[in-house]
Amino acid sequence: MRIPMIAGNWKMNTTSAEAVALVKEMRPELDQIDNVDKVICPPFVSLAAVKELLKGSSIKLGAQNLYFEEKGAYTGEISPLMLAELCQLVIIGHSERRQYFNETVETADKKVKAALKAGLKPILCVGETLKENEAGKTEEVLTRQLSSPSARSYYLSGLTLAYEPIWAIGTGRAASGEQANQTIGFIRRHITRQCGREIAQSVRILYGGSVTAANIAEFINQPEIDGALVGGASLKANEFLSIVKQTSSFKRGK
Ligand code: PGA
């Protein structure tokens, strides 16, 4: 049984005051829902304040990135050890990091390893560009992004994957539920070949890219999809609550 996860990626949005206000608005209702893993990932600078607010809450806290060294002369970077004091999860290899900050398959892999060593659960993002998609290269790209020789230990340690087709992120042009299910099915078959059926069946794989309260049902109804990584819609309390509630009632009904 894979517990569904809805994770909000706030990206570079909200001041600390805004983050606190948003959490205060959502917490009471989110705390009522117990069959979905609810995760919020505010900017680094709000993590400490949000952690305080989430004392005694079932909402989990995540960061959006980390650096793979534990400490040292890396001006401006944040280490896994620093994050482990503040939160439980961390998004790694988001396509915006790959696109704007030159992250590669190799750096994402180092970050996953460092996160797990510090006791953080990674949400590793993978996905293809529009050009790759149109050239029929989706499977090839995903295979490359999921080729780590340590994959088996990552999955056993509780890594979550997020399939985010880059053409669907922030564009309002989500993949269809069927399309996302097919590609996530491919990812699961890839993990089966890599690590065996038992591990592949245990890995949570989320869909991400223009998920809203209006389209979440389409994704969560699909057998391979275990939840969503939500960007824009996670900044609106009502939208995010509705996404979590719909996920919860679908899973209850199953
Ligand atoms: P979006 O972002 O929901 O705004 O498309 C998703 C993501 O980038 O994680």
Side-chain angles (χ1 to χ4, degrees):
M1 259 301 277
R2 301 186 297 263
I3 298 167
M5 177 190 282
I6 300 293
N9 173 12
W10 294 8
K11 308 194 180 186
M12 198 175 72
N13 295 294
T14 68
T15 61
S16 277
E18 287 165 347
V20 163
L22 187 52
V23 174
K24 280 189 177 156
E25 200 179 340
M26 294 193 295
R27 179 181 164 166
E29 284 194 69
L30 284 179
D31 270 342
Q32 310 279 315
I33 298 165
D34 56 10
N35 61 343
V36 175
D37 262 350
K38 303 144 290 183
V39 181
I40 52 173
C41 305
F44 286 134
V45 293
S46 303
L47 287 173
V50 172
K51 183 193 172 197
E52 274 303 301
L53 265 185
L54 291 183
K55 276 195 177 140
S57 167
S58 57
I59 303 168
K60 293 180 179 152
L61 192 54
Q64 301 171 17
N65 180 35
L66 50 60
Y67 191 58
F68 48 76
E69 296 291 347
E70 287 183 352
K71 60 180 177 175
Y74 303 101
T75 302
E77 292 298 320
I78 306 285
S79 93
L81 290 184
M82 297 168 188
L83 290 179
E85 283 188 336
L86 295 169
C87 59
Q88 300 102 318
L89 294 104
V90 58
I91 298 171
I92 292 177
H94 190 281
S95 64
E96 285 151 16
R97 305 255 3 134
R98 296 183 197 249
Q99 193 178 348
Y100 306 131
F101 304 100
N102 303 319
E103 287 200 8
T104 61
V105 171
E106 290 72 31
T107 53
D109 192 54
K110 285 185 182 176
K111 289 181 177 195
V112 168
K113 209 165 268 170
L116 286 169
K117 188 171 172 222
L120 293 160
K121 299 258 185 265
I123 301 174
L124 176 64
C125 302
V126 295
E128 81 287 2
T129 62
L130 183 60
K131 208 166 146 203
E132 290 161 341
N133 183 284
E134 287 174 347
K137 294 203 165 131
T138 301
E139 296 188 355
E140 185 186 322
V141 170
L142 294 172
T143 302
R144 181 157 34 84
Q145 291 173 339
L146 293 167
S147 63
S148 172
S150 310
R152 186 185 178 83
S153 70
Y154 297 164
Y155 298 133
L156 286 171
S157 307
L159 174 133
T160 298
L161 287 174
Y163 167 59
E164 299 205 309
I166 295 169
W167 45 270
I169 297 178
T171 57
R173 182 187 160 189
S176 71
E178 216 166 285
Q179 247 176 335
N181 189 62
Q182 254 178 31
T183 309
I184 291 177
F186 166 79
I187 293 174
R188 211 176 290 286
R189 287 194 299 280
H190 171 77
I191 302 172
T192 306
R193 284 192 295 276
Q194 218 179 6
C195 308
R197 190 170 183 280
E198 202 178 323
I199 290 181
Q201 286 304 314
S202 72
V203 178
R204 258 193 305 209
I205 313 180
L206 316 180
Y207 167 75
S210 297
V211 171
T212 62
N215 66 15
I216 183 66
E218 194 186 326
F219 299 106
I220 209 68
N221 281 327
Q222 300 286 342
E224 295 289 357
I225 305 179
D226 302 316
L229 182 56
V230 185
S234 70
L235 292 164
K236 296 176 207 134
N238 284 343
E239 279 273 316
F240 192 68
L241 279 168
S242 169
I243 291 169
V244 174
K245 280 184 194 164
Q246 290 181 60
T247 305
S248 165
S249 46
F250 174 72
K251 290 293 166 185
R252 266 184 224 287
K254 220 180 178 187

